[in-house]
């Protein structure tokens, strides 16, 4: 609940040469599922305001707000029809101003989601663009003629073979214009043509408008997709029956030029320093370094996807067994790649990912232990950690009963395609969705064990996870060993120990496959982290001196030469 603002000066205490976001911890709010203040079953801005102290008390520095712009909500706000207004479902622009002010009063910053690879098909730019081939916005989107010699609008006449992320072709036929438009996501999310300078300037102007309003940066949705290979060539065929266009748009010819231009036109003229994080599916470590390089980089950091794709084979619906080595190797690879230059973002969860404790942990027998071990591993890496709402409580995947419980466009389209078109087994398809659906991350925040989990007094827009009766914020805030207090401790540790922010990273070779151990070093000090990422006890040599600065088992249960299932321990030592 809203209490006294507590201004903090943490960021100023770091060296003036280092950007503030290097020592920051970010908390992502998915507004639709965070807190409903007006009893319509949907979260809103006032709900966030009312629970801001939950976030401040964790020690968070930055709030990232998933989209609250005006939107038909085809993809829960990632389809924007007005970039300069708030959707009535979430409140008003004044509510947002109030929230920004309240965030700042608590010594935190706020970043907005920037979704500019595409707009909604209800955005006035698109409505104009689709009218005919000669209007002033005719070239603001990707319009192409049907393939010669085919029947326009019929399958097979699409300009290329690309599939859309949310099933089907990436092209949609518009009879008024006698052309197709490109939509990499849903049919209601047409891709903006960034090769048109007017489009770019319209986006930059909108970004400046938000910075003038007081926001402190942007999380940029699929920002590496904005530059497409101009020929839009076919991509390699996939299991879906469509081509994969990624090679032609995930690192397009102008991507650096456009992001550099954005940096010059939006950020460089301003005295402040802003957090810019680019969501970049398919980005390689080398590319991430280019994007985030200290001198030449265009962004503060990127979201890469390698460590959240280890349990899938090619596409997200095909499972693959992930080993601890796979995870360790990937995390180490990214730590090493951005060790000298560039900067990592660190995340397990967001609104697109299933809950990590269910996915990479053990959400039954070792629920608390695995939630905390995974948190400890991530937060003690070098980079900027992100906490997704509910992660700080150890929220889990959801036992969705049937397809009627799902709301996510991706999940619903997947089900319709698999069961409706390909004749897949409905219960097997449901099972896949239970593991991988984005809705696992989108059920209401679990504030209390009461009806509606304290999220809403009405029927929530998506079912509440039944485990809210025991897994909720109210049960954890004053419980010293809770997941919440572990996160709180981790965040405080980062703020207290410069070596967690600035220290170098190195892998410690451990005798067991199941252990992930690493060292951070700065000046005369070092921290060693030992984590058992398995359900079995493992024997290993642990430091016999030093101070234990992080542990998820009580001192009395800590073995001298072993780690219990999902045990993590961090030691502070003198070099
Ligand atoms: C990535 C976002 O995180 C996701 O939620 C959305 O569906 C797509 N981009 C399209 O905007």
């Amino acid at each position: 609940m809203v209490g006294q603002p507590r201004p903090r000066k943490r960021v100023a205490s770091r060296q003036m040469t280092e950007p503030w976001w290097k020592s920051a911890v970010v908390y992502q709010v998915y507004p639709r599922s965070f807190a409903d203040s007006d009893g319509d079953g949907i979260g809103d801005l006032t709900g966030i305001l009312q629970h801001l102290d939950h976030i401040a008390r964790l020690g968070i520095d930055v709030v990232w707000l998933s989209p609250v712009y005006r939107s038909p909500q085809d993809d829960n706000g990632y389809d924007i029809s007005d970039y300069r207004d708030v959707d009535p479902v979430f409140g008003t622009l004044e509510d947002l101003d109030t929230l920004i002010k309240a965030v700042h009063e608590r010594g935190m910053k706020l970043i907005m989601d920037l979704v500019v690879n595409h707009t909604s098909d209800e955005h006035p730019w698109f409505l104009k663009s689709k009218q005919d081939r000669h209007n002033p916005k005719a070239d603001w989107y990707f319009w192409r003629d049907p393939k010669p010699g085919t029947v326009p609008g019929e399958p097979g006449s699409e300009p290329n073979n690309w599939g859309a992320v949310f099933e089907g072709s990436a092209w949609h036929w518009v009879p008024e214009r006698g052309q197709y438009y490109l939509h990499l996501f849903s049919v209601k999310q047409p891709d903006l043509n960034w090769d048109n300078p007017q489009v770019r300037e319209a986006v930059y102007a909108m970004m400046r408008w938000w910075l003038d309003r007081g926001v402190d940066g942007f999380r940029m949705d699929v920002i590496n997709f904005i530059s497409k290979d101009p020929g839009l060539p076919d991509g390699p065929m996939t299991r879906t029956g469509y081509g994969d266009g990624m090679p032609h748009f995930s690192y397009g010819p102008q991507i650096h030029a456009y992001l550099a231009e954005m940096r010059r036109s939006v950020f460089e003229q301003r005295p402040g320093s802003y957090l810019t994080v680019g969501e970049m599916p398919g980005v390689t470590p080398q590319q991430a370094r280019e994007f985030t390089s200290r001198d030449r980089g265009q962004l503060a950091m990127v979201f890469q996807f390698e460590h959240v794709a280890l349990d899938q084979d090619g596409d997200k619906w095909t499972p693959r067994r992930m080993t601890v080595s796979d995870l360790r190797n990937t995390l180490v690879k990214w730590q090493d790649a951005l060790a000298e230059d560039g900067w990592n973002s660190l995340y397990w969860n967001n609104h697109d990912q299933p809950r990590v404790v269910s996915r990479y942990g053990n959400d039954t027998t070792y629920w608390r232990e695995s939630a905390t071990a995974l948190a400890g591993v991530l937060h003690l890496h070098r980079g900027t950690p992100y906490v997704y709402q509910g992660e700080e409580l150890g929220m889990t995947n959801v036992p969705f009963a049937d397809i009627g419980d799902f709301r996510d466009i991706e999940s619903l389209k997947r089900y319709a395609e698999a069961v409706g078109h390909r004749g897949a087994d409905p219960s097997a398809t449901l099972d896949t969705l239970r593991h991988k659906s984005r809705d696992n991350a989108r059920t209401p925040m679990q504030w209390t064990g009461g009806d509606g989990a304290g999220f809403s007094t009405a029927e929530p827009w998506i079912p509440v996870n039944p485990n809210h009766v025991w897994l909720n914020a109210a049960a954890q805030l004053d419980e010293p060993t809770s997941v919440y207090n572990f996160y709180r401790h981790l965040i405080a540790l980062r703020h207290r120990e410069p070596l967690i922010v600035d220290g170098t990273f190195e892998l410690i070779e451990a005798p067991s496959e199941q252990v992930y151990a690493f060292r951070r070093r700065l000046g005369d000090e070092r921290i060693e982290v030992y984590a058992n990422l398995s359900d079995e006890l493992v024997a290993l040599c642990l430091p016999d001196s030093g101070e234990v600065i992080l542990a998820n088992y009580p001192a009395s249960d800590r073995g001298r030469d072993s780690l219990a299932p999902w045990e993590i321990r961090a030691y502070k030592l003198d070099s």
Side-chain angles (χ1 to χ4, degrees), residues 224-247:
N224 57 326
F225 290 5
I226 58 175
S227 165
K228 276 115 180 149
D229 204 334
L232 306 181
D234 280 349
M237 281 308 279
T238 69
R239 297 180 188 124
T240 63
Y242 291 95
D244 175 11
M246 282 284 276

Side-chain angles (χ1 to χ4, degrees), residues 75 78 118 166 185 219 221-222 279 351-352 438 442:
D75 185 17
Y78 282 88
H118 43 267
F166 302 147
F185 292 88
R219 174 270 185 188
D221 193 71
V222 291
E279 187 206 26
H351 63 291
D352 293 332
R438 309 193 296 182
R442 299 177 179 187

